[in-house]
Amino acid sequence: MFGLFGGVKKNSELEHLIERMENNMANNYKDAAQEYLVEFEAKFKELSENGGLNEKQKAHYESLLDSYKIRMKGFTHKDQKPYWT
């Protein structure tokens, strides 16, 4: 049934990290979100190298990783401009 809609079977470890990263981003916890991005990238590389992901999963999660890197560039408290300036 999963293949009927062309979906990618999700990896629970990576999905958990994405969920945590999204929650932290939504709550403006910038440093925590950045930490989960680093964890997500490390876990993705580990699973990719150890055969833990099939080709569709690799492509899917690599695309997500790239988009999160772009989206979170400059997403830190140190780069935040004070509203009074």
Side-chain angles (χ1 to χ4, degrees):
M1 174 127 173
F2 223 57
L4 285 176
F5 302 106
V8 175
K9 185 173 186 230
K10 296 182 177 185
N11 178 282
S12 61
E13 291 177 275
L14 293 176
E15 289 297 321
H16 174 73
L17 292 170
I18 290 170
E19 181 181 340
R20 299 293 300 181
M21 183 171 38
E22 284 284 344
N23 287 339
N24 282 302
M25 289 171 67
N27 289 311
N28 207 29
Y29 300 145
K30 297 176 179 184
D31 296 334
Q34 290 287 351
E35 289 174 18
Y36 278 107
L37 177 62
V38 170
E39 284 185 48
F40 174 68
E41 183 173 21
K43 180 55 78 174
F44 170 72
K45 286 181 180 180
E46 175 189 325
L47 290 170
S48 294
E49 292 170 359
N50 296 335
L53 300 173
N54 63 37
E55 291 304 315
K56 283 185 179 181
Q57 289 173 317
K58 284 181 190 177
H60 172 72
Y61 287 114
E62 186 170 30
S63 173
L64 283 177
L65 177 61
D66 291 342
S67 68
Y68 278 117
K69 283 182 173 181
I70 292 168
R71 186 172 161 195
M72 292 178 63
K73 188 174 186 154
F75 189 72
T76 63
H77 287 295
K78 67 180 174 115
D79 293 336
Q80 187 174 353
K81 303 285 187 243
Y83 65 88
W84 59 84
T85 59

